[in-house]
Amino acid sequence: MSTLTLKLYPSWDTQKSPIPPRSRLYNLEPIGIGTPYVESLTSYVIRLAEQHCITTRRLLIKEIAPFMGREPKLSNLRNERNESIGKILGVNRDRTATNGTGLMATNLVRAMSILTKRTDLYFLTLRPWEKVLSKRDLLRHERVWCPSCYQEWRDTNKSIYEPLLWCINVVQICPIHHHPFLSVCPHCLNQQLVLSGDSQTGHCNKCGKWLGSYRYKSGGVNQMKKRMKLLGNFM
């Protein structure tokens, strides 16, 4: 008569593994930290909105505003376009201050850090240089861009973004392509804010058309200035 033998198997650990804290928004990695072409904080906000497939306005109103102590009124939730982006950020039209060295930049960094669980968003502003740089005329008031950079990034399948360098007032020429930045949309001839509710990376905030092009390398900037001058004569 055969005898039964018991075989011992290794025991299983049925304890659940600890789950790290989850972020409210995507933990999107900033572009270019530690390089001269580091991304600006406003560009990061725009890209984050695109990753969530919502408008920049909706991201600011629904997610960021409560963490900046500026939660929108209930009466405005049904009509988001009535809500002022400037009021949410605590600025008027000078929204480039959110990339600067002051309180506006600090508040937005804090809000975005809470929502994304990232600890490096501080470097998307000029806050690390606050004891070195003078605040006077440090940042330009309107959005500028290099159309060749935009086009080159698109053609090489790289992420489209806006470097912090483009916000600095004394930087007038693209260090890579060696031609002046543009500040006027070549399609609708409008200037635009650094951050608006309709912001899209690489596109006009007003008409929504693509801003990248190689044709401004030679003579295109001067042609744009002539068009603006002619337009001004009729206004």
Side-chain angles (χ1 to χ4, degrees), residues 112-129:
M112 295 300 295
S113 297
I114 294 171
L115 289 165
T116 62
K117 300 295 184 186
R118 294 205 66 92
T119 59
D120 51 6
L121 302 184
Y122 173 80
F123 298 105
L124 307 188
T125 71
L126 292 174
R127 289 284 294 164
W129 300 89

Side-chain angles (χ1 to χ4, degrees), residues 3-194:
T3 59
L4 297 175
T5 57
L6 297 176
K7 188 173 182 179
L8 296 178
Y9 291 93
S11 62
W12 290 359
D13 185 3
T14 58
Q15 295 295 323
K16 292 183 179 179
S17 301
I19 299 175
R22 295 296 188 253
S23 60
R24 168 71 178 172
L25 302 179
Y26 294 148
N27 188 259
L28 183 66
E29 183 177 358
I31 298 173
I33 286 183
T35 72
Y37 255 57
V38 61
E39 183 173 19
S40 67
L41 185 59
T42 49
S43 170
Y44 184 82
V45 171
I46 297 167
R47 285 202 308 122
L48 192 61
E50 291 174 347
Q51 290 295 312
H52 284 274
C53 300
I54 59 175
T55 64
T56 305
R57 180 183 302 278
R58 191 169 185 84
L59 179 69
L60 286 165
I61 292 175
K62 297 287 190 178
E63 302 294 340
I64 298 176
F67 288 94
M68 296 186 71
R70 300 177 184 278
E71 195 161 359
K73 297 178 181 178
L74 291 176
S75 59
N76 285 331
L77 290 179
R78 293 182 180 178
N79 188 2
E80 293 177 358
R81 300 198 67 85
N82 289 340
E83 191 67 35
S84 170
I85 300 301
K87 288 181 179 179
I88 292 173
L89 298 174
V91 295
N92 294 320
R93 293 182 65 82
D94 188 17
R95 297 172 191 177
T96 190
T98 51
N99 294 316
T101 61
L103 185 60
M104 299 303 107
T106 301
N107 290 341
L108 186 55
V109 166
R110 184 187 301 115
M112 295 300 295
S113 297
I114 294 171
L115 289 165
T116 62
K117 300 295 184 186
R118 294 205 66 92
T119 59
D120 51 6
L121 302 184
Y122 173 80
F123 298 105
L124 307 188
T125 71
L126 292 174
R127 289 284 294 164
W129 300 89
E130 65 174 322
K131 295 183 179 179
V132 179
L133 301 174
S134 170
K135 292 182 181 180
R136 184 172 183 179
D137 295 327
L138 176 60
L139 300 169
R140 50 172 52 93
H141 300 295
E142 72 282 345
R143 177 192 184 193
V144 302
W145 62 91
C146 171
S148 297
C149 282
Y150 276 155
Q151 195 63 47
E152 187 174 293
W153 293 335
R154 174 188 260 188
D155 292 346
T156 55
N157 294 319
K158 292 183 179 178
S159 297
I160 309 298
Y161 74 107
E162 298 186 7
L164 181 60
L165 191 69
W166 292 0
C167 300
I168 301 175
N169 200 25
V170 296
V171 183
Q172 299 290 330
I173 295 175
C174 175
I176 298 175
H177 299 101
H178 309 294
H179 61 74
F181 292 123
L182 295 185
S183 61
V184 177
C185 174
H187 307 288
C188 65
L189 300 180
N190 278 311
Q191 286 188 319
Q192 36 207 294
L193 300 172
V194 173

